[in-house]
Amino acid sequence: MLLRVRVTLPDRPGTLGQVARTLGVSGADIVQVVVLERLGGRAVDDFTVVWPGAARVERLLAGLAAIPGVRVDGVWRAIGAPTTTGQDAELLAQVAANPTDGVATLVDAVPGLLAADWAVAAVVPLDWASRGAGGATIGHASWRAPQPSRLPEVTPLRARAMTGPDGHHYAVAPFGRAGLVLVVARDHTEPLAPAAFHSTEVDRLAQLVRASAVILGDRLDLVGTPPVTTIT
């Protein structure tokens, strides 16, 4: 199976090599490395690895923890092959080619791009500020979204990451129209514990949502609106 492993490590020569060797000794086959952040002598890296299903993840975690200065921020199952920002333009092209299903296309694709479990397009009432918390409904959900729906508190409407009391991680980004907001989730499932969404991932999500909003325009007003039934 594919796993995503996020580590924070000292940004100095040799440390990345130690992490890579430890992953290999533990049985992981590295297929991608993405540097999320380099700041203040520290780096945050995402490793996507092929992991033997019968092996215990605890062995991997113990090996990484033994490297001086290395901290494991999360290990979780990745959906599909690793992707980079090259897929973002392709996704937006698909949204533009079929705007009628544009929101559904975006919602279904985003979990794979961000190594998440599921996503939904939530519709927040226009009077959310006076209502207080709650009240959001689901306009479209990806195929792995839980039933009944489970949403964090998405208001106020701004792009950000959050973690629920149950350990599930979320990233949200508003479309800027019709109270529509995209919610992406990583579920906490033992023994795997995913990392929270990094600021670079939230920025990527927000850019995709903003670009989709420009492409779809007035069509966003129809998301979550019940179809009109003609009685004859």
Side-chain angles (χ1 to χ4, degrees):
M1 62 180 175
L2 281 177
L3 288 181
R4 187 69 57 93
V5 183
R6 182 168 298 173
V7 296
T8 297
L9 64 158
D11 188 14
R12 60 173 181 258
T15 306
L16 182 60
Q18 286 182 280
V19 172
R21 284 194 297 273
T22 300
L23 288 170
V25 169
S26 301
D29 182 15
I30 300 173
V31 295
Q32 187 189 56
V33 182
V34 175
V35 179
L36 296 175
E37 177 183 308
R38 298 181 70 180
L39 184 66
R42 305 282 289 175
V44 180
D45 293 351
D46 266 3
F47 294 83
T48 301
V49 304
V50 178
W51 181 253
R56 294 178 60 86
V57 177
E58 289 82 356
R59 177 187 176 190
L60 171 63
L61 299 178
L64 293 174
I67 304 174
V70 171
R71 183 184 75 233
V72 179
D73 294 332
V75 179
W76 68 103
R77 189 185 298 267
I79 302 173
T83 59
T84 62
T85 53
Q87 282 70 33
D88 294 7
E90 181 180 348
L91 172 57
L92 293 173
Q94 293 174 4
V95 171
N98 184 14
T100 301
D101 296 324
V103 171
T105 299
L106 182 66
V107 169
D108 291 339
V110 160
L113 295 180
L114 295 180
D117 291 299
W118 54 270
V120 299
V123 182
V124 177
L126 297 180
D127 59 346
W128 61 265
S130 60
R131 286 193 182 200
T137 57
I138 304 299
H140 183 82
S142 67
W143 71 278
R144 296 187 67 190
Q147 295 294 334
S149 61
R150 166 170 50 83
L151 288 178
E153 178 49 56
V154 297
T155 56
L157 298 180
R158 64 176 183 270
R160 65 193 190 279
M162 64 188 75
T163 299
D166 48 10
H168 301 310
H169 299 299
Y170 303 93
V172 299
F175 285 80
R177 188 183 184 109
L180 194 61
V181 58
L182 188 59
V183 181
V184 188
R186 288 179 184 146
D187 290 340
H188 180 91
T189 55
E190 297 292 348
L192 302 180
F197 287 92
H198 191 268
S199 58
T200 58
E201 295 176 307
V202 176
D203 290 343
R204 185 181 181 188
L205 178 67
Q207 291 169 7
L208 281 169
V209 168
R210 286 196 299 266
S212 298
V214 172
I215 294 170
L216 298 176
D218 294 347
R219 292 180 183 272
L220 294 178
D221 298 336
L222 303 177
V223 178
T225 301
V228 176
T229 302
T230 302
I231 300 176
T232 57

